[in-house]
Amino acid sequence: MKSFMLAAWHIVMRDYRVRFRRTLLGVIWFLLPLFTLVGMAFFVGKDIGLYTSAEQSQYLVQLLAGLIFWQLLADTWLEPIRFGRRANMVLRAVVFDQRKLLMAGVFSALIAFVVKVPVLIAALVWFEVVPDHAVLLLPLGVASMLAVGMAMACFTLPVSLALLDIRYGMPFAQYTFLLSTPVFYPMPTSGLLAQINQLNPFTYLVIPVRDALIGQPVEAPLFLASGLVAALFLGLGLVYFQAKMRLAIAYIGR
Amino acid sequence: MVEDTVLSLQNVSRAYPRDISDTPSAMLREMFLPRALLKHAGPEEFFALRDINLNLKKGQKLGIVGAHRSGKSTLAGIASGVLLPTAGRVTAHGSRLLISRPTAGFKPTLTIMENLAFRAALAGLCGRELTEIIDIALSRCGVSHVEAKTPIGNISPYLVKQLGMTLLLEMPADILIVDELSGVGVGGARWETRGNLLRRIENGTALTISADPAFLEEATEECLLLFNGELSGPFKTSDAIAKYNSIIDETDEEQASLGRSRIDPLSFVDEDSGLPTELVENESMNSAAEKRNLKMEWQPIARIVNIFVDDTPYNHNKVSLIRKAGDSLNIKVDILFAKSTDSCGYALALHPESGNQMADTTINWPSRSFQRGHIYSLYFNFLIPDVPNNSYGVSITPNENHDCLYPKNRLKVLKFGLVGGIGKGKKILIDVKESRLEEQSI
């Protein structure tokens, strides 16, 4: 287990060194996209009716928390694909447990999350948001998100090694899921958007965790159900990954 | 599985798409169908490996010899566990180490230490074991810990390969699978890494897969022959190499009648410079004239000056040829010879878009001398074969020194797009008629 975790850590650190060694801002680059999205939504949102003046601070905290948790889920899904792409020749030439790529994705997502947590805590303190007892469910919620992200990586990483469509389609998929999750807007109760939100599995992962943190009402059974489904999904994903990853590696370089 | 067998491959097969344009559909098929349904190749696939059976015993040094594109790297990947076969089973008792691409994963912006630590950690080493292995690799290559903090992009690529190979050879493993690597580096370092590899093979259990007969003779006791995706043997290594050398003459009667000679298999080419290793390694060859002469030997003997298709000047950047199966092209190629040679014919090959040759034929003429600096016009009529819709290329390779065909002499002639072709699964026959050669007056 120790060597497994160490190898995953090396994958992450190697990637970070290559990405950030010759930058001035370093890990601050994790925060810039978040600030950009929050800033744009905050400045534009009032004009398009996402919130009123009275709801300003609540909206800001909700948006910040929602985006940070959503990004945790998205990173856990997408980082292994990026690591797999950057480790093409390693996959083809080195005998190693490719699940280390999945664990590296989890580490990378958690590092980015940890960098953003102080910003979230500062916002909670500034706007005097007090979480209630539901915050105790937060670890389960975060674990569910990590499990689902990892499961999605299990299904998409093998295919992404040979099909560039996956690589090209990832940004579209990411933004489709983001806009289908009620992070930028309150969840409607009826209409087409409500149906889309309800069909989007990310809604049941991100929104309850966000609400648990910012003191909004939360259904505890929903947390438990999400956790069970996430664990099952991850189990299926790992079986698929083990069966298909080494078939997919044969297409690297073809 | 017999008791002392440490590695067993049972009915292992691996299918690939025939053409690069079929890769997405083949990939999807493999990703979405259960493995039981992948036993049979899809409509656009061929078997790179078919029903491979292999047993490697503890302490055995087994070799596999095969030509270029015979499936060696695929077999090495499957045997080492990097790849999965589409059918069959691989069983290993013990850890496996694949000796291939020693610098895989190295990043130029990272230091020597960081790159070596990454490769060692990936292989499952940690703590003291990892530190010790890196120290050994550095000291064997004469690199100090201070120098190890240099970005790898700033040091000699030969030293980088040497470091990678030395690290690989220090990694613990029960079974060694060597994929076409016999030594890295330049000069003495190449022989040192080759010696270390041979020692490692000698001291353990190894499967050595190579097209280098000299290395196989040193490293293995018995050898299997890999040809057209199938394994035969085992034979004594020298017998396997003799069979390997005779394969080209036996498989094609036309080639046998032409008496085509092969490149001496005991000579090999440095993978970095593309020059024969005797040029790269022989530091006693100080004469610039000697080096120049050797370089000249490895230059193509001719180049194309003009091409006419159906009496119209042809330039592949400006002219798109779209044809149907059964159409014929009247081709005239003006060839300028860069050195004098005798030749008794040429090979004409058809290539799909991926570049790999899919069919060829040989055309003979009475042996004649070609003079350096003279232009010769080759005329022939090429019948478009019935092949699937795709883009194709035609190349010709004039013989050198009477009947020697070298890949370096291949001349790309033209490209054409085929419409209305349906000939899948049929043997492709190249039909060339009315071939004649004329020397142009100077």
Side-chain angles (χ1 to χ4, degrees), chain B residues 261-283:
Chain B
S261 304
R262 295 182 67 251
I263 298 170
D264 179 5
L266 293 178
S267 73
F268 53 96
V269 176
D270 181 79
E271 62 186 79
D272 295 310
S273 61
L275 295 170
T277 49
E278 59 210 282
L279 178 65
V280 175
E281 293 172 8
N282 194 341
E283 290 163 1

Side-chain angles (χ1 to χ4, degrees), chain B residues 10-64:
Chain B
Q10 294 164 306
N11 298 321
V12 160
S13 297
R14 213 322 169 185
Y16 282 124
R18 212 177 289 275
D19 195 81
I20 198 169
S21 59
D22 296 321
T23 298
S25 53
M27 177 71 172
L28 285 174
R29 190 170 168 268
E30 285 186 35
M31 290 296 105
F32 291 115
L33 290 182
R35 203 157 150 260
L37 295 179
L38 299 176
K39 259 190 281 194
H40 308 285
E44 305 298 335
E45 291 182 330
F46 74 100
F47 278 107
L49 297 174
R50 189 198 288 266
D51 292 326
I52 301 287
N53 286 288
L54 186 155
N55 287 307
L56 183 70
K57 295 190 180 52
K58 189 169 178 173
Q60 190 180 9
K61 290 94 173 98
L62 185 64
I64 297 179

Side-chain angles (χ1 to χ4, degrees), chain A residues 97-102 153-155 157-158 236-246:
Chain A
D97 187 342
Q98 292 98 17
R99 290 174 297 183
K100 290 172 186 172
L101 291 172
L102 301 172
C154 285
F155 288 108
L157 172 52
L236 286 172
L238 287 170
V239 168
Y240 178 85
F241 187 81
Q242 289 291 86
K244 298 298 183 185
M245 185 64 176
R246 288 184 294 153

Side-chain angles (χ1 to χ4, degrees), chain B residues 101-138:
Chain B
R101 296 190 177 107
T103 57
F106 283 15
K107 291 285 184 191
T109 50
L110 301 184
T111 65
I112 297 172
M113 188 68 85
E114 285 166 349
N115 279 299
L116 293 180
F118 171 71
R119 190 74 191 255
L122 211 58
L125 301 175
C126 60
R128 202 169 165 181
E129 211 180 7
L130 186 145
T131 320
E132 277 174 5
I133 257 185
I134 294 173
D135 287 343
I136 292 171
L138 291 174

Side-chain angles (χ1 to χ4, degrees), chain A residues 116-157:
Chain A
K116 292 168 193 154
V117 159
V119 175
L120 183 57
I121 292 172
L124 291 173
V125 168
W126 183 267
F127 293 109
E128 295 172 355
V129 175
V130 180
D132 64 9
H133 62 274
V135 76
L136 295 170
L137 291 169
L138 213 62
L140 177 60
V142 169
S144 299
M145 285 196 288
L146 294 176
V148 168
M150 218 165 149
M152 292 179 74
C154 285
F155 288 108
T156 47
L157 172 52

Side-chain angles (χ1 to χ4, degrees), chain B residues 137-151:
Chain B
L138 291 174
S139 66
R140 288 232 173 108
C141 298
V143 176
S144 68
H145 279 82
V146 172
E147 286 164 340
K149 292 177 186 169
T150 315

